[in-house]
Amino acid sequence: MSGALRVLIVDDDALVRGGLTMMLDGVHGISVVAEAADGDEVCAAADKHTPDVVLMDLRMPRVDGITATRRLRARPRPPEVVVLTTFDTDENILHALRAGAGGFLLKDTPPTEIVDAVRKVAAGDPILSPRITRRLMDRAATQAGAHERARTALESLSPREREVVQAVAEGHANAEIAARLYMSVATVKAHVSSILTKLDMDNRTQIALLAHDAGLA
């Protein structure tokens, strides 16, 4: 990506917004272009300021972060979304990722890790803490019919695409997948794009969820 990463901060707490803005604006290569105090302001702010990444709170007075994420990700060329919240229930995590969020962090996450998450999610790499990932996978695996639905969905993919799905679920980056499967990075990216299209998904996190539901990882 060229130029500074553009970030929109969405939180109903002015002190939180101010703290995040101060922290991120002090980082080379990142610029906070706007703030929003509620989920109902997100789409208009995104249209006006074209952020690359949105840091999204969950609990807000009028429109919650999950609804705002879903609306945002349904639009053409949407920014990536990182949920940043104090509410880490299984339901919140799962609903946020299903809505299209590329990351889920708690507000007590160290500043350096928040910065790292902004950069990685902007580059297409999902961000979840190991604790949250394990809880999410356990919850998804217990949902009625999840395993069978996931296996059926994966049958629509080619054998090579299923290999890429498994590698994504195991947390490998594109370069690692390329080396492992003896293909170019460009080919890996093409496979990932094809998988997302065939499965009607938004990001690699959702691919990983499906793979875990199917028992591939």
Side-chain angles (χ1 to χ4, degrees), residues 4-56:
L5 287 175
R6 300 168 61 84
V7 177
L8 166 64
I9 296 173
V10 185
D11 198 295
D12 63 333
D13 188 327
L15 289 177
V16 171
R17 296 198 307 273
L20 288 170
T21 296
M22 184 178 299
M23 179 188 76
L24 291 171
D25 264 345
V27 176
H28 177 71
I30 295 178
S31 176
V32 176
V33 294
E35 299 177 9
D38 200 278
D40 63 356
E41 302 173 9
V42 171
C43 289
D47 286 344
K48 182 176 180 179
H49 300 283
T50 60
D52 302 299
V53 177
V54 177
L55 284 181
M56 182 81 74

Side-chain angles (χ1 to χ4, degrees), residues 175-208:
E176 295 170 327
I177 297 173
R180 176 176 172 173
L181 299 181
Y182 304 102
M183 61 177 71
S184 68
V185 172
T187 300
V188 173
K189 290 180 178 179
H191 279 310
V192 171
S193 178
S194 175
I195 291 164
L196 291 172
T197 298
K198 287 183 178 180
L199 299 180
D200 192 26
M201 291 181 171
D202 292 314
N203 54 50
R204 294 164 71 103
T205 302
Q206 293 173 329
I207 293 176

Side-chain angles (χ1 to χ4, degrees), residues 116-127:
D116 187 54
V118 168
R119 288 174 170 155
K120 287 186 175 179
V121 170
D125 294 326
I127 293 294

Side-chain angles (χ1 to χ4, degrees), residues 83-135:
V83 169
L84 188 62
T85 182
T86 57
F87 302 98
D88 64 339
T89 65
D90 292 350
E91 290 81 3
N92 282 337
I93 299 166
L94 185 60
H95 290 326
L97 296 179
R98 296 298 187 195
F104 196 106
L105 299 176
L106 299 180
K107 286 183 177 177
D108 61 0
T109 300
T112 55
E113 294 183 18
I114 294 176
V115 171
D116 187 54
V118 168
R119 288 174 170 155
K120 287 186 175 179
V121 170
D125 294 326
I127 293 294
L128 295 173
S129 73
R131 174 171 60 88
I132 288 178
T133 300
R134 185 69 267 156
R135 284 175 52 190

